[in-house]
Amino acid sequence: MAQLKKLGPRKEAIVALVPSCERAAEIGADHGLISAGILAAGRCREMLVCDISAASLQKARRLFVSLGWEARVRFAVADGLDAVEEGVGAIVVAGMGQQTMTEILDRGQERIGGAPLVLQANTRVAALRAWLCAHGFLIEAESLVLEEGRYYVVLRAGRGDEPLNEGQMLLGPRLLEQWPPLFEAYLRHQLACARVGQSQAEQRRAALIASVLEERMRR
């Protein structure tokens, strides 16, 4: 049998936020490495691996056959959450833009049920947090990683209600609470990017981030 290759920091962070459950679903799975990592880590016993592309699912199928895990996986060619059924204990959506992600979640709201969402958006994480808050989700956990020079935020959300202020929405309520090792460097990177912008929104974002950094330095 083949051995699962080491996952990079982004995928490892996604796997780490998946709660222990009997079965999890990955949406837009492509090559299936995240799903394989979830099984390897013992986060769940079975995976529902979904992708709109049959060709992508073939890549995932070959991976699981090579690992000898094909009996632990159900594959579904499906648009978004269309193949998700009751009993799924977690839903993973990762590696896509925020707009695509929230469109998938919008269309599949009835299929989410009470399953926690483990999400990693490549763009506009603040807009993703806003969608979650507007649709009855509480951000339970967030992690921050750096891979190949790019920062990634991974979050887990469950059903609940927690109003977020502007700073929490922009920078992450759990990241602000925990202040992980990469967070200051991430904020300084975000500040530099915001200062390049000319819009009022970018200027406001820069002022907010600068304020957070200044407050941290005073502690």
Side-chain angles (χ1 to χ4, degrees):
M1 295 293 177
Q3 295 292 316
L4 180 64
K5 69 179 185 180
K6 182 175 174 60
L7 304 178
R10 181 183 70 89
K11 294 184 182 71
E12 288 179 350
I14 294 165
V15 170
L17 286 189
V18 176
S20 296
C21 58
E22 183 69 18
R23 181 174 50 154
E26 184 187 3
I27 310 304
D30 193 28
H31 40 54
L33 279 170
I34 291 172
S35 289
I38 292 168
L39 291 179
R43 295 285 172 171
C44 64
R45 293 182 59 187
E46 300 177 353
M47 287 297 305
L48 171 62
V49 179
C50 306
D51 202 285
I52 198 170
S53 165
S56 289
L57 276 184
Q58 278 299 104
K59 291 187 290 184
R61 190 185 301 273
R62 286 194 294 270
L63 170 65
F64 285 100
V65 168
S66 74
L67 295 168
W69 296 349
E70 62 269 32
R72 300 176 64 188
V73 182
R74 182 166 76 85
F75 299 95
V77 178
D79 187 2
L81 301 176
D82 286 356
V84 173
E85 300 170 350
E86 188 175 350
V88 167
I91 297 171
V92 179
V93 191
M96 59 186 74
Q98 169 270 327
Q99 184 171 344
T100 300
M101 184 175 291
T102 51
E103 286 173 356
I104 287 171
L105 297 174
D106 265 325
R107 292 197 308 269
Q109 284 188 68
E110 293 183 359
R111 293 182 176 272
I112 296 172
L117 302 174
V118 179
L119 308 174
Q120 180 268 306
N122 290 342
T123 60
R124 303 181 68 220
V125 180
L128 176 60
R129 293 189 187 101
W131 187 95
L132 291 167
C133 291
H135 290 81
F137 289 91
L138 166 73
I139 297 172
E140 299 173 342
E142 293 177 298
S143 59
L144 176 68
V145 297
L146 180 65
E147 181 173 301
E148 295 183 352
R150 180 171 180 178
Y151 291 100
Y152 295 95
V153 174
V154 184
L155 61 85
R156 184 179 68 235
R159 293 293 182 180
D161 181 29
E162 181 190 26
L164 300 181
N165 60 37
E166 186 179 10
Q168 291 171 322
M169 197 78 75
L170 177 65
L171 305 176
R174 307 291 82 89
L175 293 177
L176 285 164
E177 285 175 355
Q178 297 162 7
W179 205 274
L182 285 173
F183 196 44
E184 182 173 343
Y186 170 73
L187 290 182
R188 294 195 182 281
H189 171 74
Q190 292 293 313
L191 177 59
C193 292
R195 282 175 169 166
V196 171
Q198 300 298 316
S199 69
Q200 288 187 346
E202 288 297 300
Q203 292 174 13
R204 181 172 178 80
R205 184 162 74 101
L208 192 153
I209 296 170
S211 175
V212 169
L213 286 167
E214 289 169 8
E215 181 181 350
R216 179 73 178 186
M217 291 176 65
R218 288 197 295 268
R219 292 182 182 179

